[in-house]
Every structure is written in C-alpha cells, then in structure tokens.
C-alpha cells in the first residue's frame, strides 16, 4: 500500500517539503509515474537507505526524497506520488504538478538565511513497458511542462516474458527526449538512466519535444494569452502550458501560482479582461469548460496511442489470457466475494497455525530474561517496589506484548504484502466498490479497511488515498470496526477455549480460522452500516466515482517482500505498540499493588464497574481490562488473569485449558465469551489509533466521534445480545 515505517512514523509530519542538498552542485530530480509502474523500485534502488519522508505542505500526501551519487555528482531524488495526469483531479496530482511547476523550499545556506525556492533540474517519468500507451499520457503532459525529462521504460523483463517489444530508439525520436529501458527489480538499465539524467540536466539548452496539436480554436485561445503570460511569468512557467491550464479553470493552480510566484491572476485586471474575452470566443465555438478539457484530453490520448502503436510490437496476441482467467475468478460477481473470504480465511489459518510455536519460544526466552533481571535487582539490593514497577510491571507487560504480537505479525504482514505485490489488493477494492457505493462511501475504503487488519493506525493513515474529504472521514471513523492484530489474540483464545476446543490439530485450527473470519465479516458488515449511517446524517453527500487501475498480475519478489514487510511494517507496528505498552505496564502494576484498605485499587475499580458490566454480559474485571488495555489491546487477557488471581502482576498460563478453568471458575459462560468477543470487536480504538486520527483529521471533534461511536455501538450490541439470551432462558 506504499505505507511503511518511514511513511507513517514520526517523520510523517505536515512540516512542508525541504530539499536537502549535501552540496551546492547537487541536482534535484523529480521522479514521476503512474501507480504500479515500479517508480518506487527505481527510487529505492538508486537511493538505497539514504531516504527520508514527510508530508507535502498542507497535504496528507506522503513525499519521499533521497540522495545518490553518480560520476562524482550528487542527486536529490524526489519521489512524486503515483498519478495519471497533471490536470489535478486529486491531492496527489496537485502536489506532483506543483512540485514540477514551483519546486520546494531549499536548505538555506547559513543558520539565519531565509528559505529559498528550489526547482527541479530535470524529471524522470517511469513507464510500464507492458502498457506503454496508457503511461504516455503522463509523459506527454510532463514534456509540455518540463522538457528536461528522461523517459524510463521500466519492467522490460516482464514485457519480454509476455512477448512485447518496445523500440526505444524510435520512441526517443518521437518524444524528442532520452528514453532508457530498465528492469528496476533487477537493477538493469539504472546506470544508463543516471547517464541520461546527467546529460539532460547538464545540457546548456533543454530539448525541444514536438508540440501536441490541439483543436484550432484551443490553439488560437492559448496564443492570445501567451504574450501577457510571457510578460508576467518571466520564464518561470511555460506560457502555452499555463494558458491551457487557466483556460481549463483550474482553481488549485491559480492559488499555487499566487503563493509561489507572487502573481495573482484573479486580481490582474488586464489579464482577466483578456481571459474573459478568450473564453467567450471559445463558448461561441461550442467549447465550454467541459468540452475544452475533453478536447485537450482526447488530443493527448490520441497522440499517446499513435506513438505507442508505432514503437510497440506483440509476438503473442494472447499474452493476457491468463490474467483474464484469473480476473474472471477473482473479480466476477459470482466468485469475487467467495474467493476473497476464502483467501482471508486462508491467511488467518496460516497466521494462527504458524504463530503458536514461535510465540511459545519467544515467550520462554523473554520470561527467562525476566528471571535474570530479577536476580540482578536482588543482587543490587534494589527496593521491592522498584523491582515490582520496572520488572513485574513495565518489562512483563512489554514481554507479553512482544511475544503475542511479533510472531503473528511476522506471518500476516508478509502474506498481506505478497498479495499486494501479486496485484490482488486493488481487485479487493474493485469487488467491494459496489457495496461501499451503496453505503455512499468510496470503494478505496476497502483497501484502508484491509490495512486495518494489521494495524488500525496504519489503516487510518492509509485513508490518505481517498480524495473526497467526506469519504476520507467516513473511512477514518469506521476503520476501527475491523479487528487489528492486537485484538486477534483475544478473539482466537476465546474461540479456541469455548467454541473449538484446545485439542489442537489442523482441523481445529482451520475451524478457528473460519470462526475468526465470521467475526471479521461481522465487523465488515458493521463498517458498511455505519458508513451508510454517517452518509445519511452528519456526513451527507453523494459517493464519488474513482478510477481504479487493476495492475497486471506479477510474480511477487519474495525476498524484497519479506524484508519490506518485516522491517517497514512488522517492526514499526511492534515498536509503536511497545512504546505505549511500557508505561501501561507501570500503570497496571500500580492499579494492582496500590491498596485502599484491604483491596487493591484494581479490585475497587472492578467492583464499581461490575453491576454495569453484568448488564452487558461481562463482569467488572473484563470491562476494567479493556479500559486498562487502551494503550495496547494485546494486554486485555493478561489483565483479566491478574485481576482474577489478585496476583499484583501479569501472569502467563502454560495452557489454554488452565486458562479456561480459571475463567469458568470466575463465572464465565458461553454468553460471557460471546459478549467479550463482541466487545473486543466493537469498542474504542487504542491510544495509538486515537493519536493517529487526531493527527490525520486535525480535529478533536472527529477524534472524539471515532472513539465514542464504536464504544456506544459495542455497549448496545453486548446489552442486546445478553438481554435476548436471558429472555430466552439460554443464559
């Protein structure tokens, strides 16, 4: 999903884009391209680990820039968001266009120096060799704006395997700029790409790509505006390109021009008079704003089609037969959703079955280390309260979170990333788009919802891909209705103990996975219902349409997937959970050990909550465990164990049979198990997710609603289930 430790961590702040050069001679290169063309692979290969990220100024759109060296010269590569056009239809297209037009703030020379504007010296547009025609649309638009451009035709290896040949020499002649073929995943052609960049960025004069011929009326209108624009722009933007955009009435460009260039077209009387005259001429010719844009787009598409047809040959006409067969299975109305549910169940089965032994080994190792820490504290004659707070509180909770979270995440995230690399996740959005449209939400919400399985906070950050502010809010507020990795241990433990049995075996593990899938399906249905409710009340609106590219199926790069998912996702989520679990461990220890009279503070709190919790089919201990588990959902079960045993510290049971016996001895029934599962599925987001929501929405109101809505629904659902069971005499 393009979300990594660097793109969602503390560096992803809305502090604006600052170009960081290592030397004054370093060149700035903009890296553009459609989604799924391997642009990030090119960027990562060239920059290695010399990268840092943030948000574009005023936008929740992640940028990345990195540094590389070629033949003794430094290059700053700015990875633009994946876009299809420079005619800004989205935040991603807007920031990409603005960077190409106006650059960004440059690192000031001297501590007191004022920030200065730094323009890109050249651009690289990455294309997919297997579908060149579609990619050339962006190439042609970029050349109109920035002639110093190198076209990188990537995935040449994949094209060869499909019998597709691209004549790079002819393509270079037709475009008027250097063209380099690459297979970035293997590192092929990237040295030649840097050579081409060095040549075009250092040339005394830019290339002169052939002009795109638009309709006579459009060309006449642009020519009428060019003299005034040349005078006002002073070479800072191409006059013809600017004229076409202003005729298109792009308000975002006008605002950006005003901020970056100090020229406000809307208050320039002479220019506005001429612009009005030209627009009236166009309207008399039957070209209103929509017709004008359609004409421009049509000209670009036709030229892209002509060029692609002239340089591309196909040895096999059936090269996409296998993909079409897969799409009929994975995206059709009849089989799309069943296949999605089967794959989801399969992922959970692999996660559950594969995580058991590593979790036990990791737990044994971490608790062995706890014993050594205890010996160290005794050797140092440290006070018992200090040992209790740091070892039995902070360290024990931290050890539990790590042993419970790390193994399943180390399985789930690589499998999830493999599906992403294979090209399946966009098809999930396609399959669920109709359901989200019925809920008056955006089909892209399917992708952010899927990300929530790993971490709800990452799912909230992923909502940046949704262009509509209304639909983005709906996706953020409802993301918590799908369980994250932190809630899986509680759900799996209860399913195993009370509904499947603890005997083990592949059959029981599969049954656990199917039941877990059913619980998750309930969360998905709630997501649809709540999205529809929000759309009908406080977030009214018409669902927006969106263009979703279904990328070609590709063989996943297993090695890269494992490294990326473990380092960028697993360890990031684990580190964030550990950061909140450590202080939570101290608070939990204090609750369990600070006594008022004969009872601990924890016992007093559970006693106060018990009457209300009983109405929900729970008890005071369970409800208190969820409250204290606000920093990390993984510690809910350990807190329940600690409270029932009144041990003063979190304990671990050797088997689920022993744990089930403890729970039933303390009044648990099938109804308690069901209500605990429901409340685990539907309750407040964890502290990390709440902070992420606050950062993304920049609103206390929406953050509070994101907290209060699932809480209220969870309480209501548990109360209804418990009341119905009691009325029917089933509990």
């Amino acid at each position: 999903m393009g979300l990594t430790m660097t793109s969602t961590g503390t560096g992803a702040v809305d502090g604006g884009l600052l170009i960081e050069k290592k030397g004054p001679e370093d060149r700035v290169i903009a890296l553009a391209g459609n989604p799924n063309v391997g642009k990030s692979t090119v960027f990562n290969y060239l920059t290695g680990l010399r990268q840092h990220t943030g948000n574009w100024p005023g936008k929740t759109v992640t940028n990345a820039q990195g540094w590389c060296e070629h033949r003794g010269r430094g290059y700053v590569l700015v990875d633009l968001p994946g876009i299809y056009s420079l005619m800004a239809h989205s935040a991603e297209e807007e920031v990409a266009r603005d960077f190409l037009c106006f650059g960004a703030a440059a690192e000031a020379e001297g501590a007191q120096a004022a920030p200065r504007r730094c323009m890109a010296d050249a651009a690289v547009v990455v294309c997919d060799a297997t579908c060149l025609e579609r990619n050339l649309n962006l190439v042609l638009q970029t050349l109109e704006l920035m002639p110093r451009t190198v076209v990188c035709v990537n995935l040449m290896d994949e094209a060869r395997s499909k019998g597709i040949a691209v004549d790079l020499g002819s393509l270079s002649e037709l475009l008027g700029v250097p063209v380099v073929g690459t297979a970035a995943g293997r590192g092929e052609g990237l040295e030649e790409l840097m050579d081409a960049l060095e040549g075009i960025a250092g040339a005394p004069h830019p290339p002169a790509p052939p002009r795109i011929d638009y309709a006579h009326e459009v060309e006449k209108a642009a020519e009428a505006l060019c003299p005034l624009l040349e005078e006002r722009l002073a070479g800072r933007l191409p006059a013809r390109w600017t004229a076409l955009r202003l005729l298109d009435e792009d308000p975002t460009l006008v605002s950006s021009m005003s901020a970056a260039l100090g020229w406000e077209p809307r208050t320039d009387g002479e220019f506005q008079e001429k612009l009005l005259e030209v627009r009236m001429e166009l309207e008399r010719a039957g070209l209103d704003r929509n017709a004008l844009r359609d004409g421009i787009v049509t000209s670009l598409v036709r030229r892209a089609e002509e060029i692609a047809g002239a340089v591309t040959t196909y040895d096999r006409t059936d090269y996409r037969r296998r993909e079409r067969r897969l799409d009929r299975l994975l995206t059709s109305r009849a089989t799309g959703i069943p296949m999605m549910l089967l794959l989801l169940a399969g992922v959970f089965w692999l996660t559950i079955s594969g995580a058991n032994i590593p979790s036990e080994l990791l737990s044994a190792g971490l608790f062995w280390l706890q014993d050594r820490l205890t010996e160290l504290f005794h050797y140092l004659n440290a006070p018992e309260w200090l040992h209790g707070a740091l070892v039995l509180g902070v360290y024990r909770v931290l050890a539990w979170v790590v042993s419970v979270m790390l193994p399943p995440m180390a399985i789930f995230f690589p499998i999830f990333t493999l599906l992403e690399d294979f090209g399946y996740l966009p098809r999930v959005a396609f399959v669920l788009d109709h359901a989200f449209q019925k809920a008056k939400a955006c089909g892209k919400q399917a992708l952010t919802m899927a990300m929530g399985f790993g971490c709800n906070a990452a799912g909230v950050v992923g909502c940046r891909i949704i262009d509509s502010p209304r639909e983005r809010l709906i996706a953020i507020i409802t993301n918590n209705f799908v369980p994250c990795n932190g809630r899986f241990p509680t759900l799996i433990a209860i399913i195993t103990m009370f509904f499947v049995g603890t005997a083990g075996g592949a059959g029981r593990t599969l049954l656990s996975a199917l039941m877990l899938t059913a619980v998750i399906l309930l969360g998905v249905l709630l997501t649809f219902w709540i999205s529809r409710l929000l759309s009908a009340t406080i977030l009214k609106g018409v669902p927006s349409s969106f263009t979703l590219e279904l990328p070609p199926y590709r063989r996943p790069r297993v090695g890269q997937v494992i490294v990326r998912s473990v380092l960028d996702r697993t360890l990031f989520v684990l580190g964030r959970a550990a950061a909140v679990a450590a202080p939570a461990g101290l608070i939990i220890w204090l609750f369990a050990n600070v006594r008022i009279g004969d009872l601990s503070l924890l016992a007093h709190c559970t006693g106060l909550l018990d009457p209300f919790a009983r109405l929900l089919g729970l008890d005071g201990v369970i409800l208190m465990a969820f409250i204290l588990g606000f920093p990390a959902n993984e510690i809910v079960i350990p807190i329940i164990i600690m409270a029932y045993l009144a041990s003063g510290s979190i304990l671990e049971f050797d088997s689920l049979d022993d744990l089930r016996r403890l729970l039933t001895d303390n009044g648990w029934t099938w109804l308690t198990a069901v209500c605990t599962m429901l409340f685990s599925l539907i309750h407040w987001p964890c502290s990390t997710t709440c902070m992420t929501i606050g950062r993304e929405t920049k609103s206390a109101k929406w953050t509070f609603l994101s907290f209060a809505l699932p809480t209220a629904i969870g309480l209501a659902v548990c109360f209804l289930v418990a009341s119905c069971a009691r009325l029917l005499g089933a509990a």
Side-chain angles (χ1 to χ4, degrees), residues 69 175 216 240 456 560 569 612 624 660 679:
E69 187 176 5
L175 294 176
H216 173 71
R240 181 173 178 266
N456 290 131
Q560 293 183 24
R569 295 181 176 177
F612 174 69
M624 190 64 192
R660 187 182 191 281
F679 198 70

Side-chain angles (χ1 to χ4, degrees), residues 53-230:
T53 63
N55 283 351
W56 295 90
K59 303 288 180 184
T60 53
V61 177
T62 303
N63 67 62
Q65 59 179 289
W67 188 87
C68 68
E69 187 176 5
H70 181 72
R71 303 192 190 281
R73 182 182 291 276
Y75 292 85
V76 180
L77 270 63
V78 180
D79 189 13
L80 303 180
I83 57 173
Y84 295 100
S85 171
L86 293 178
M87 299 178 185
H89 296 92
S90 66
E92 288 83 1
E93 292 178 355
E94 182 183 338
V95 298
R97 179 206 63 199
D98 283 357
F99 182 77
L100 291 172
C101 289
F102 313 114
E107 190 174 36
E109 299 177 2
Q112 304 299 319
R116 55 190 176 83
R117 186 137 319 253
C118 180
M119 303 292 294
D121 295 288
V124 175
V125 182
V126 183
C127 302
D128 183 349
T130 65
C131 45
L132 187 61
E133 180 182 324
R134 186 185 65 239
N135 291 224
L136 284 175
N137 185 21
L138 178 63
V139 172
L140 295 173
Q141 292 184 54
T142 305
L143 291 177
E144 287 188 311
L145 177 60
M146 182 173 284
R148 293 185 188 269
T149 293
V150 176
V151 177
C152 170
V153 183
N154 194 33
L155 301 171
M156 291 293 289
D157 52 340
E158 187 173 319
R160 287 192 294 269
S161 68
K162 294 180 177 181
I164 302 172
V166 180
D167 187 340
L168 300 178
S170 297
L171 181 59
S172 179
E173 290 179 10
L174 290 169
L175 294 176
V177 295
V179 175
V180 180
T182 65
R186 302 178 179 181
E188 298 176 6
L190 296 179
E191 188 74 15
E192 291 81 358
L193 176 64
M194 293 304 300
D195 287 340
L197 266 176
E198 183 178 8
I200 203 167
H205 302 289
R211 280 191 1 172
I212 306 297
D213 293 324
Y214 300 107
H216 173 71
E217 294 81 3
V218 177
E219 293 285 1
K220 183 179 177 182
E223 289 175 7
L225 294 175
C226 279
L228 291 176
L229 288 171
E230 288 172 354

Side-chain angles (χ1 to χ4, degrees), residues 455-659:
C455 175
N456 290 131
V460 169
V461 174
C463 294
R464 297 174 176 183
I465 66 175
I466 300 173
D467 300 322
S468 165
R470 183 189 72 88
E471 292 167 350
R472 190 183 310 125
L473 273 174
I474 292 174
I476 288 173
I477 294 169
T478 59
N479 191 266
N480 189 62
F481 286 97
V482 294
C484 65
N485 191 79
R487 285 180 274 176
F488 285 156
T490 301
L491 295 171
I492 294 169
I494 295 174
I495 288 172
T496 304
M497 288 186 294
F498 286 90
F499 303 105
V500 176
T502 58
R508 294 189 181 276
T509 305
L510 180 59
L511 183 56
S512 295
L514 291 174
M515 291 191 67
L516 180 61
T517 303
V519 173
I520 290 168
L521 185 58
L522 174 61
V524 173
L525 293 174
L526 279 171
T527 300
F528 290 142
W529 181 67
I530 300 300
S531 297
R532 184 69 180 85
L533 180 66
L534 291 171
S535 298
T537 53
I538 59 175
L539 290 171
K540 292 182 180 180
V542 178
S544 61
S545 61
F546 74 99
T547 302
L548 177 66
E549 178 187 11
L550 295 182
Y553 293 102
R554 296 191 175 108
R555 183 178 298 173
R557 300 178 293 273
V558 178
Q560 293 183 24
V561 164
I562 292 174
V563 171
R564 190 168 80 240
S565 59
V566 172
L567 295 180
D568 283 349
R569 295 181 176 177
T570 303
L571 295 183
F572 163 59
V573 174
L574 182 67
R576 190 167 54 185
V580 297
L586 178 60
I587 295 171
I588 293 167
W589 185 86
L590 290 172
F591 264 82
N593 289 274
V594 174
R595 306 185 75 84
I596 301 175
D598 296 332
L599 298 174
S600 67
L601 186 58
L602 179 61
H604 280 288
C605 291
T606 57
L608 288 172
L609 291 172
D610 196 69
F612 174 69
R614 296 285 178 184
L615 296 174
L616 308 175
L618 310 174
D619 63 25
V621 169
I622 301 170
L623 190 54
M624 190 64 192
F626 277 105
I627 294 172
L628 291 177
F630 174 64
N633 287 295
E634 296 80 7
I635 58 180
V636 168
I637 290 292
I639 296 173
I640 291 174
I641 297 170
M642 179 182 67
Y644 283 148
L645 294 175
S647 61
S649 63
I650 285 181
L651 297 177
E652 182 182 13
F653 272 67
D654 294 330
S655 71
L656 287 178
D657 284 324
D658 293 338
L659 178 55

Side-chain angles (χ1 to χ4, degrees), residues 7-80:
S7 66
T8 60
T10 57
V13 294
D14 206 16
L17 180 62
L18 180 70
I19 298 297
E20 296 187 6
K21 293 184 176 183
K22 293 188 177 183
E25 301 301 317
D26 287 359
R27 288 172 175 154
V28 179
I29 307 299
L31 196 62
N34 292 176
N36 304 304
V37 298
K39 177 168 61 67
S40 294
T41 306
V42 173
F43 175 78
N44 291 333
Y45 190 95
L46 293 175
T47 61
L49 298 177
R50 299 180 294 273
Q51 308 170 14
H52 60 94
T53 63
N55 283 351
W56 295 90
K59 303 288 180 184
T60 53
V61 177
T62 303
N63 67 62
Q65 59 179 289
W67 188 87
C68 68
E69 187 176 5
H70 181 72
R71 303 192 190 281
R73 182 182 291 276
Y75 292 85
V76 180
L77 270 63
V78 180
D79 189 13
L80 303 180

Side-chain angles (χ1 to χ4, degrees), residues 1 3 416 420 424-430 432 436 442-453 458-459 462-463 465-466 479 546 548-549:
M1 303 310 299
L3 294 172
F416 191 85
E420 177 186 348
Y424 178 64
L425 291 188
R427 287 161 172 87
V428 172
F430 176 81
L432 294 179
F436 278 109
C442 179
K444 290 182 181 178
Q445 191 174 333
L447 297 176
T448 65
M449 181 178 66
M451 293 179 66
F453 292 135
C463 294
I465 66 175
I466 300 173
N479 191 266
F546 74 99
L548 177 66
E549 178 187 11

